[in-house]
Amino acid sequence: MYQSDPFMSNEFGAMPWFVGLFFIVVIGFILFVIFSGIAQWSKNNNSPIENVIVTVVAKRTEIYGGGETRANQDYYVTFEDTNNNRCELEVPTNKFGMIVEGDKGELSFQGTRFLDFTRIIE
């Protein structure tokens, strides 16, 4: 006698279960990204504004998207303080072009949020 699998009662029996699981995972991921962004924003707002003398040690860009959609580009600068501590911050487009590797200046930031960089001319 053949015993049928309760999850596969017909050829499409498991399909609604997998589709439901897929949507739960996708919605869970979207909620995770949203809440992570809100948590980072809140943490930055609660952090003190810091002003530190730094040297610019590296610059880079990251391109994402493209193909059927518009490509986007993010700009990052790595700063090093006098104690050799480094941090990489995302920088707005209009500031990125004005910062050159080797520049020394005062970095103003709040948490992981870049606020300003003022070059010190020696």
Side-chain angles (χ1 to χ4, degrees):
M1 173 136 217
Y2 175 74
Q3 273 188 309
S4 65
D5 185 352
F7 294 107
M8 301 291 277
S9 59
N10 62 35
E11 60 189 79
F12 298 108
M15 186 77 88
W17 186 80
F18 286 123
V19 170
L21 180 64
F22 175 77
F23 281 114
I24 288 172
V25 169
V26 169
I27 290 170
F29 179 75
I30 291 169
L31 290 175
F32 173 76
V33 169
I34 290 171
F35 286 119
S36 294
I38 291 171
Q40 185 64 54
W41 176 80
S42 178
K43 183 179 176 189
N44 284 341
N45 285 343
N46 293 324
S47 296
I49 295 175
E50 297 185 50
N51 296 307
V52 182
I53 301 300
V54 297
T55 302
V56 176
V57 293
K59 291 172 61 173
R60 72 177 180 91
T61 60
E62 183 177 317
I63 300 171
Y64 57 95
E68 298 292 325
T69 62
R70 192 180 108 197
N72 295 300
Q73 190 166 7
D74 289 335
Y75 302 91
Y76 298 91
V77 177
T78 302
F79 300 97
E80 182 176 79
D81 68 11
T82 54
N83 296 324
N84 295 327
N85 297 318
R86 290 186 177 196
C87 71
E88 181 181 65
L89 300 173
E90 186 173 351
V91 176
T93 307
N94 61 334
K95 294 287 186 174
F96 185 80
M98 301 301 292
I99 298 173
V100 178
E101 286 184 25
D103 278 352
K104 292 183 192 273
E106 184 176 9
L107 171 66
S108 179
F109 64 99
Q110 185 177 25
T112 60
R113 183 182 300 145
F114 172 88
L115 298 176
D116 197 20
F117 176 76
T118 306
R119 185 178 321 153
I120 296 173
I121 301 173
E122 297 174 346

